[in-house]
């Protein structure tokens, strides 16, 4: 039994041992998140369980946060030092210089996980009102390249903070990437390499702690429009042309995706504008699952007809006396 109701055993929540490696923790999180996601599991308590799983992974899935948590876990297990003293002495979480993280406050994370409600008081106390996340976050104040000395997420007052805009392609947002970045801050040139996480969205921020002479750099992401694909949340939309005969008789066609071509069957008598859903071919979600690709069919009529083809369609018109607009005048 737990010695203190206020202490959360994140290892127990994910069902892993304290010695579990990062791969084991990630695998346990993905399995439990799929099992308890509110869109899938409608049972009583599933939503609360899903929140706890996400919270546990926010800590155990990050090396630095896990190390700090383990200090408290050790004190909690063996008594002696009050584990709550570690809360008061450590201060807000700071990632070591050189790494990246997409950042946001606790409210941003709650929005990221679908508005499922707040994190526990334990979690809030643990991070001092500030948190580094695997995704989420709203745009922060300040223009590109602006240095603001007083703003930040749990940083000491007066610590320099620079902001800039980072433009990336939809493919880079989909796959993740390592991208070189040249920028000017206060007249000084900087060349950096930025790690772009999978699934990042326009408006999210990537933080590079200590990148500018000890100051933190915040890059606001802007995903460029794509000539074929349109992103809506974690789903990707694309319009694909099909011929009249393919729509009438059905066919197996090739469809472009962000991972390359895939085959898709369309049924006979497919109407113009019909949308097909290809599961698991969209953008990455924070829980490791992916959105869908939605394929909208656009039926193309022939540009010209031979005499024989015209005769064929004249005969069809004679056989099929249809008025698709008749319902417009029905009372």
């Amino acid at each position: 039994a737990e010695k203190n109701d206020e202490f959360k055993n994140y290892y127990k929540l994910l069902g892993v041992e304290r010695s579990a490696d990062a791969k084991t923790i990630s695998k346990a999180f993905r399995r439990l998140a799929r099992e308890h996601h509110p869109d899938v599991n409608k049972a009583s308590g599933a939503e609360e369980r899903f929140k706890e799983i996400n919270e546990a992974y926010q800590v155990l899935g990050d090396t630095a946060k896990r190390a700090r948590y383990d200090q408290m876990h050790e004190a909690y297990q063996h008594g002696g030092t009050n584990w709550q003293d570690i809360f008061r002495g450590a201060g807000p979480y700071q990632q070591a210089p050189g790494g990246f993280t997409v950042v946001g406050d606790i409210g941003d994370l709650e929005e990221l996980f679908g508005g499922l409600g707040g994190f526990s008081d334990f979690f809030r106390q643990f991070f001092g009102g500030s948190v580094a996340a695997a995704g989420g976050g709203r745009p922060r104040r300040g223009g590109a390249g602006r240095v603001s000395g007083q703003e930040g997420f749990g940083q000491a007052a007066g610590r320099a903070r620079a902001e800039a805009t980072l433009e990336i392609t939809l493919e880079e947002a989909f796959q993740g990437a390592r991208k070189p970045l040249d920028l000017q801050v206060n007249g000084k040139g900087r060349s950096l390499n930025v790690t772009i996480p999978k699934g990042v969205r326009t408006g999210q921020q990537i933080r590079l702690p200590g990148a500018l002479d000890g100051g933190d750099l915040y890059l606001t992401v802007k995903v460029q429009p794509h000539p074929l694909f349109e992103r809506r949340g974690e789903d990707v939309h694309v319009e694909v042309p099909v011929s009249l005969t393919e729509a009438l008789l059905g066919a197996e066609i090739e469809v472009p995706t962000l991972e390359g071509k895939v085959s898709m069957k369309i049924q006979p008598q497919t109407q113009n504008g019909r949308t097909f859903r290809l599961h698991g071919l969209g953008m990455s979600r924070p829980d490791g699952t992916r959105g869908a690709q939605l394929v909208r069919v656009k039926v193309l009529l022939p540009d010209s007809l031979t005499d024989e083809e015209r005769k064929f369609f004249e005969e069809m018109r004679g056989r099929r006396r249809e008025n698709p607009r008749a319902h417009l005048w029905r009372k």
Side-chain angles (χ1 to χ4, degrees), residues 158-172:
R159 183 174 179 180
R161 163 182 166 141
E163 297 186 3
T165 299
L166 176 65
E167 291 196 358
I168 64 174
T169 65
L170 184 60
E171 286 86 354
E172 288 171 331

PDB file of all heavy atoms in Angstrom, residues 158-172:
ATOM      1  N   GLY A 158      14.906  38.141 -15.868  1.00  0.00           N
ATOM      2  CA  GLY A 158      16.054  38.790 -16.468  1.00  0.00           C
ATOM      3  C   GLY A 158      16.834  37.906 -17.406  1.00  0.00           C
ATOM      4  O   GLY A 158      17.725  38.378 -18.090  1.00  0.00           O
ATOM      5  N   ARG A 159      16.532  36.634 -17.476  1.00  0.00           N
ATOM      6  CA  ARG A 159      17.261  35.745 -18.374  1.00  0.00           C
ATOM      7  C   ARG A 159      16.802  35.996 -19.801  1.00  0.00           C
ATOM      8  O   ARG A 159      15.620  36.025 -20.086  1.00  0.00           O
ATOM      9  CB  ARG A 159      17.006  34.294 -17.991  1.00  0.00           C
ATOM     10  CG  ARG A 159      17.803  33.305 -18.853  1.00  0.00           C
ATOM     11  CD  ARG A 159      17.629  31.905 -18.341  1.00  0.00           C
ATOM     12  NE  ARG A 159      18.363  30.954 -19.155  1.00  0.00           N
ATOM     13  CZ  ARG A 159      18.381  29.653 -18.931  1.00  0.00           C
ATOM     14  NH1 ARG A 159      17.704  29.165 -17.908  1.00  0.00           N
ATOM     15  NH2 ARG A 159      19.066  28.844 -19.699  1.00  0.00           N
ATOM     16  N   ALA A 160      17.764  36.197 -20.723  1.00  0.00           N
ATOM     17  CA  ALA A 160      17.442  36.555 -22.103  1.00  0.00           C
ATOM     18  C   ALA A 160      16.662  35.442 -22.777  1.00  0.00           C
ATOM     19  O   ALA A 160      16.895  34.261 -22.542  1.00  0.00           O
ATOM     20  CB  ALA A 160      18.729  36.831 -22.873  1.00  0.00           C
ATOM     21  N   ARG A 161      15.739  35.859 -23.612  1.00  0.00           N
ATOM     22  CA  ARG A 161      14.921  34.908 -24.361  1.00  0.00           C
ATOM     23  C   ARG A 161      14.709  35.473 -25.751  1.00  0.00           C
ATOM     24  O   ARG A 161      14.231  36.595 -25.915  1.00  0.00           O
ATOM     25  CB  ARG A 161      13.580  34.702 -23.672  1.00  0.00           C
ATOM     26  CG  ARG A 161      12.514  34.070 -24.573  1.00  0.00           C
ATOM     27  CD  ARG A 161      11.221  33.964 -23.827  1.00  0.00           C
ATOM     28  NE  ARG A 161      10.139  33.673 -24.753  1.00  0.00           N
ATOM     29  CZ  ARG A 161       9.144  32.844 -24.504  1.00  0.00           C
ATOM     30  NH1 ARG A 161       9.107  32.215 -23.354  1.00  0.00           N
ATOM     31  NH2 ARG A 161       8.195  32.651 -25.383  1.00  0.00           N
ATOM     32  N   ALA A 162      15.083  34.731 -26.780  1.00  0.00           N
ATOM     33  CA  ALA A 162      14.913  35.155 -28.158  1.00  0.00           C
ATOM     34  C   ALA A 162      13.840  34.317 -28.812  1.00  0.00           C
ATOM     35  O   ALA A 162      13.676  33.140 -28.488  1.00  0.00           O
ATOM     36  CB  ALA A 162      16.222  35.037 -28.918  1.00  0.00           C
ATOM     37  N   GLU A 163      13.105  34.931 -29.742  1.00  0.00           N
ATOM     38  CA  GLU A 163      12.055  34.225 -30.458  1.00  0.00           C
ATOM     39  C   GLU A 163      12.239  34.438 -31.955  1.00  0.00           C
ATOM     40  O   GLU A 163      12.658  35.508 -32.397  1.00  0.00           O
ATOM     41  CB  GLU A 163      10.676  34.715 -30.031  1.00  0.00           C
ATOM     42  CG  GLU A 163      10.367  34.452 -28.561  1.00  0.00           C
ATOM     43  CD  GLU A 163       8.942  34.820 -28.189  1.00  0.00           C
ATOM     44  OE1 GLU A 163       8.183  35.219 -29.095  1.00  0.00           O
ATOM     45  OE2 GLU A 163       8.590  34.702 -26.996  1.00  0.00           O
ATOM     46  N   ALA A 164      11.926  33.420 -32.719  1.00  0.00           N
ATOM     47  CA  ALA A 164      12.012  33.497 -34.174  1.00  0.00           C
ATOM     48  C   ALA A 164      10.992  32.544 -34.770  1.00  0.00           C
ATOM     49  O   ALA A 164      10.434  31.691 -34.070  1.00  0.00           O
ATOM     50  CB  ALA A 164      13.419  33.157 -34.658  1.00  0.00           C
ATOM     51  N   THR A 165      10.744  32.689 -36.059  1.00  0.00           N
ATOM     52  CA  THR A 165       9.812  31.816 -36.772  1.00  0.00           C
ATOM     53  C   THR A 165      10.593  30.791 -37.584  1.00  0.00           C
ATOM     54  O   THR A 165      11.580  31.130 -38.246  1.00  0.00           O
ATOM     55  CB  THR A 165       8.902  32.636 -37.707  1.00  0.00           C
ATOM     56  OG1 THR A 165       8.138  33.555 -36.917  1.00  0.00           O
ATOM     57  CG2 THR A 165       7.950  31.734 -38.473  1.00  0.00           C
ATOM     58  N   LEU A 166      10.158  29.547 -37.534  1.00  0.00           N
ATOM     59  CA  LEU A 166      10.797  28.472 -38.287  1.00  0.00           C
ATOM     60  C   LEU A 166       9.789  27.899 -39.276  1.00  0.00           C
ATOM     61  O   LEU A 166       8.776  27.320 -38.876  1.00  0.00           O
ATOM     62  CB  LEU A 166      11.278  27.375 -37.334  1.00  0.00           C
ATOM     63  CG  LEU A 166      11.889  26.132 -37.998  1.00  0.00           C
ATOM     64  CD1 LEU A 166      13.179  26.500 -38.725  1.00  0.00           C
ATOM     65  CD2 LEU A 166      12.151  25.041 -36.964  1.00  0.00           C
ATOM     66  N   GLU A 167      10.036  28.076 -40.568  1.00  0.00           N
ATOM     67  CA  GLU A 167       9.157  27.534 -41.591  1.00  0.00           C
ATOM     68  C   GLU A 167       9.626  26.141 -41.984  1.00  0.00           C
ATOM     69  O   GLU A 167      10.814  25.918 -42.229  1.00  0.00           O
ATOM     70  CB  GLU A 167       9.128  28.447 -42.819  1.00  0.00           C
ATOM     71  CG  GLU A 167       8.430  29.772 -42.585  1.00  0.00           C
ATOM     72  CD  GLU A 167       8.082  30.484 -43.883  1.00  0.00           C
ATOM     73  OE1 GLU A 167       8.418  29.955 -44.963  1.00  0.00           O
ATOM     74  OE2 GLU A 167       7.461  31.556 -43.810  1.00  0.00           O
ATOM     75  N   ILE A 168       8.678  25.199 -42.026  1.00  0.00           N
ATOM     76  CA  ILE A 168       8.991  23.825 -42.405  1.00  0.00           C
ATOM     77  C   ILE A 168       7.950  23.335 -43.398  1.00  0.00           C
ATOM     78  O   ILE A 168       6.876  23.918 -43.543  1.00  0.00           O
ATOM     79  CB  ILE A 168       9.022  22.886 -41.173  1.00  0.00           C
ATOM     80  CG1 ILE A 168       7.637  22.809 -40.516  1.00  0.00           C
ATOM     81  CG2 ILE A 168      10.080  23.328 -40.182  1.00  0.00           C
ATOM     82  CD1 ILE A 168       7.549  21.792 -39.400  1.00  0.00           C
ATOM     83  N   THR A 169       8.267  22.263 -44.108  1.00  0.00           N
ATOM     84  CA  THR A 169       7.320  21.666 -45.036  1.00  0.00           C
ATOM     85  C   THR A 169       6.406  20.697 -44.295  1.00  0.00           C
ATOM     86  O   THR A 169       6.695  20.273 -43.165  1.00  0.00           O
ATOM     87  CB  THR A 169       8.053  20.907 -46.149  1.00  0.00           C
ATOM     88  OG1 THR A 169       8.763  19.792 -45.564  1.00  0.00           O
ATOM     89  CG2 THR A 169       9.039  21.815 -46.866  1.00  0.00           C
ATOM     90  N   LEU A 170       5.304  20.339 -44.928  1.00  0.00           N
ATOM     91  CA  LEU A 170       4.410  19.354 -44.330  1.00  0.00           C
ATOM     92  C   LEU A 170       5.109  18.012 -44.192  1.00  0.00           C
ATOM     93  O   LEU A 170       4.889  17.281 -43.218  1.00  0.00           O
ATOM     94  CB  LEU A 170       3.147  19.209 -45.190  1.00  0.00           C
ATOM     95  CG  LEU A 170       2.063  18.276 -44.645  1.00  0.00           C
ATOM     96  CD1 LEU A 170       1.555  18.753 -43.286  1.00  0.00           C
ATOM     97  CD2 LEU A 170       0.902  18.167 -45.630  1.00  0.00           C
ATOM     98  N   GLU A 171       5.980  17.686 -45.149  1.00  0.00           N
ATOM     99  CA  GLU A 171       6.741  16.430 -45.054  1.00  0.00           C
ATOM    100  C   GLU A 171       7.641  16.427 -43.831  1.00  0.00           C
ATOM    101  O   GLU A 171       7.787  15.406 -43.149  1.00  0.00           O
ATOM    102  CB  GLU A 171       7.581  16.217 -46.326  1.00  0.00           C
ATOM    103  CG  GLU A 171       6.799  15.812 -47.555  1.00  0.00           C
ATOM    104  CD  GLU A 171       6.229  17.007 -48.317  1.00  0.00           C
ATOM    105  OE1 GLU A 171       6.357  18.150 -47.821  1.00  0.00           O
ATOM    106  OE2 GLU A 171       5.648  16.794 -49.389  1.00  0.00           O
ATOM    107  N   GLU A 172       8.273  17.566 -43.525  1.00  0.00           N
ATOM    108  CA  GLU A 172       9.129  17.645 -42.338  1.00  0.00           C
ATOM    109  C   GLU A 172       8.310  17.526 -41.059  1.00  0.00           C
ATOM    110  O   GLU A 172       8.747  16.894 -40.090  1.00  0.00           O
ATOM    111  CB  GLU A 172       9.903  18.963 -42.351  1.00  0.00           C
ATOM    112  CG  GLU A 172      10.999  19.009 -43.408  1.00  0.00           C
ATOM    113  CD  GLU A 172      11.618  20.378 -43.555  1.00  0.00           C
ATOM    114  OE1 GLU A 172      10.923  21.381 -43.294  1.00  0.00           O
ATOM    115  OE2 GLU A 172      12.811  20.454 -43.945  1.00  0.00           O
TER     116      GLU A 172
END
